[in-house]
């Protein structure tokens, strides 16, 4: 299960340098197979300040009294999503789009040629995001699953592979093109989509994504980089794992982030600002 903090402090300077060297004009993916959105479903637009729960460890526990839940798309059913909807909650579908996972039911659909180095989590390997003709239909099927289960949005994980040792010569331009494609796939299905981390590329991607999900921006003194989302009226769902609330909640409130402290396994426990 990805979605937890990757070791990012040592990567920030390199990521920023690569992302800002003439990459803002990366190629746009097609809007859809026929050039138009395939769904008339209204896309949810979460606003800054919404409280949330992020639980990726197992089937959802609906005990947190918050308006937004972010849960694993494979491990939860349409009935789980419907139960949350009946309680008035919006529900985000966690899906890994940047790494192969050997514990997912569609694992055999990924050809070995797109599997790179291990990413530090058991059973996971980076994907060659340049191979969009291979990966797009696989991600479309995953997002179809999210839509068909009734989710309101998608949290696509591991969308900053270009700053890691993936085994492939990925560039910031490759990542921009892939991330824009991922956003388009979600919007074609009437799903809202969040940008996970990838702070250096926020200026180029904020218009393509409906909210942000961030890990540990306070610990690495990066939270200000998320301000384009807030200025655009888009929520920033934020967690810290190590920092005490006293070290980041005041700043989070000033920046209008939706912040809480979680344990790295992302179970039920939460301690919100």
């Amino acid at each position: 299960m990805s979605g937890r903090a990757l070791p990012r402090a040592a990567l920030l300077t390199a990521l920023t340098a690569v992302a800002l060297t003439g990459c803002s004009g990366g190629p746009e993916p097609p809007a859809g197979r026929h050039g138009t959105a395939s769904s008339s479903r209204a896309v949810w637009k979460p606003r800054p300040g919404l409280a949330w729960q992020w639980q990726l460890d197992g089937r959802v526990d609906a005990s947190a009294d918050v308006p937004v839940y972010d849960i694993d798309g494979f491990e939860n059913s349409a009935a789980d999503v419907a139960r949350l909807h009946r309680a008035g909650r919006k529900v985000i579908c966690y899906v890994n789009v940047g790494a192969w996972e050997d514990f997912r039911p569609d694992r055999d659909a990924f050809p070995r040629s797109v599997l790179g180095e291990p990413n530090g989590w058991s059973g996971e390997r980076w994907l060659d995001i340049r191979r969009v003709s291979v990966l797009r239909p696989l991600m479309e099927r995953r997002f179809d699953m999210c839509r068909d289960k009734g989710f309101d949005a998608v949290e696509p994980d591991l969308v900053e592979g270009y700053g890691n040792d993936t085994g492939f010569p990925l560039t910031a331009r490759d990542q921009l093109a892939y991330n824009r494609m991922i956003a388009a796939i979600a919007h074609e299905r009437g799903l809202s989509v969040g940008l996970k981390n990838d702070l250096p590329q926020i200026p180029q991607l904020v218009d393509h994504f409906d909210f942000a999900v961030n890990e540990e921006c306070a610990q690495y003194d990066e939270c200000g980089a998320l301000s384009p989302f807030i200025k655009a009226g888009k929520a920033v769902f934020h967690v810290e794992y190590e920092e005490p609330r006293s070290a980041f909640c005041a700043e989070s409130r000033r920046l209008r982030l939706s912040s809480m402290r979680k344990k790295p396994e992302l179970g039920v426990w939460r301690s919100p600002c």
Side-chain angles (χ1 to χ4, degrees):
M1 175 82 62
S2 295
R4 291 137 310 180
L6 294 170
R8 296 166 49 246
L11 295 172
L12 181 61
T13 301
L15 282 169
T16 303
V18 173
L20 298 181
T21 52
C23 294
S24 60
E28 293 282 351
R33 298 191 177 186
H34 305 289
T36 58
S38 60
S39 173
S40 60
R41 171 176 167 171
V43 175
W44 172 51
K45 302 288 187 180
R47 309 293 293 178
L50 281 176
W52 70 307
Q53 167 65 310
W54 197 17
Q55 184 196 334
L56 301 186
D57 185 16
R59 187 177 175 187
V60 64
D61 179 316
S63 59
D65 185 15
V66 294
V68 179
Y69 271 69
D70 187 340
I71 62 177
D72 189 275
F74 283 100
E75 295 185 12
N76 292 278
S77 67
D80 295 318
V81 177
R83 179 163 52 104
L84 291 169
H85 281 161
R86 286 195 297 272
R89 279 109 183 215
K90 294 292 187 180
V91 195
I92 302 171
C93 182
Y94 170 89
V95 175
N96 194 331
V97 302
W100 174 81
E101 301 160 308
D102 69 3
F103 47 88
R104 296 302 191 186
D106 62 353
R107 59 188 176 273
D108 294 334
F110 291 78
R112 295 191 64 82
S113 61
V114 302
L115 307 186
E117 294 295 320
N119 69 358
W121 298 106
S122 178
E124 299 188 20
R125 294 170 64 181
W126 290 105
L127 292 171
D128 186 353
I129 61 169
R130 300 169 302 171
R131 301 281 302 281
V132 294
S133 63
V134 174
L135 294 180
R136 179 163 188 143
L138 295 172
M139 297 307 158
E140 286 177 334
R141 287 197 287 273
R142 286 186 165 192
F143 283 34
D144 286 345
M145 173 191 69
C146 295
R147 178 200 59 201
D148 294 346
K149 288 183 177 181
F151 283 93
D152 303 286
V154 179
E155 179 213 331
D157 195 20
L158 296 186
V159 294
E160 52 185 4
Y162 73 105
N164 291 269
D165 181 14
T166 63
F168 306 111
L170 304 182
T171 68
R173 187 178 295 275
D174 295 328
Q175 194 71 64
L176 284 171
Y178 188 73
N179 291 0
R180 288 170 176 152
M181 181 193 77
I182 289 296
I185 291 172
H187 289 151
E188 288 165 15
R189 286 151 180 78
L191 296 166
S192 177
V193 60
L195 179 64
K196 177 73 167 290
N197 297 323
D198 195 16
L199 298 182
Q201 295 190 329
I202 284 177
Q204 295 97 333
L205 293 173
V206 63
D207 290 341
H208 298 264
F209 287 81
D210 306 296
F211 59 93
V213 177
N214 177 265
E215 296 168 297
E216 301 187 297
C217 69
Q219 181 172 339
Y220 297 113
D221 195 24
E222 301 168 351
C223 293
L226 292 152
S227 61
F229 276 96
I230 299 298
K231 289 177 181 177
K234 301 176 180 183
V236 174
F237 299 116
H238 161 235
V239 298
E240 294 291 328
Y241 302 116
E242 302 295 335
E243 295 288 287
R245 288 190 308 155
S246 60
F248 67 89
C249 280
E251 180 73 354
S252 288
R253 285 190 287 268
R254 185 184 71 80
L255 294 173
R256 300 174 63 205
L257 309 184
S258 301
S259 299
M260 61 182 170
R261 193 164 188 265
K262 293 283 292 186
K263 297 174 182 177
E265 61 269 21
L266 295 176
V268 177
W269 182 86
R270 64 189 291 273
S271 182
C273 288

